[in-house]
Amino acid sequence: MSVVIVGGHDCMVNQYKEICKNYKCKAKIFTHLSSNFKAKIGNADLLILFTSTVSHSMVHGALQEANKNHMLVARSHSSSSCALKKILECHCC
């Protein structure tokens, strides 16, 4: 399963990747708005939005791509490792 994480903290990127790896998911993680952001999202199975640590423009762009590519969307106000584990338990198991 492929996962795109939008938001979160820079210092947590390695932990996010490790958690996704433990759930046998490939992850792309975007903590900041980069050039060609929407094109880089691609076509994943699940889009995870950490809403407290992301700008409105990133949320809007990510949701446009999710709708276009028929991705599942999971939102969490918290960007903790525990929140990510709960989301992956619901969608990957």
Side-chain angles (χ1 to χ4, degrees), residues 4-91:
V4 174
I5 299 173
V6 177
H9 299 284
D10 290 332
C11 61
M12 295 282 291
V13 169
N14 289 332
Q15 288 181 3
Y16 296 152
K17 287 182 182 179
E18 190 63 32
I19 291 167
C20 290
K21 187 177 175 182
N22 290 339
Y23 283 89
K24 300 189 181 12
C25 297
K26 292 183 180 182
K28 285 185 188 177
I29 302 167
F30 300 97
T31 56
H32 296 290
L33 186 61
S34 60
S35 60
N36 294 332
F37 168 67
K38 290 200 289 186
K40 290 179 182 177
I41 289 177
N43 191 4
D45 298 313
L46 176 64
L47 172 70
I48 299 172
L49 292 171
F50 290 138
T51 57
S52 66
T53 56
V54 68
S55 67
H56 292 286
S57 60
M58 280 184 77
V59 170
H60 184 68
L63 289 175
Q64 282 181 338
E65 286 300 304
N67 288 334
K68 185 172 83 174
N69 295 321
H70 307 291
M71 289 189 263
L72 291 173
V73 177
R75 296 179 191 227
S76 174
H77 187 69
S78 172
S79 55
S80 67
S81 59
C82 186
L84 178 59
K85 289 176 185 177
K86 286 181 182 180
I87 291 170
L88 293 176
E89 283 174 9
C90 290
H91 294 282

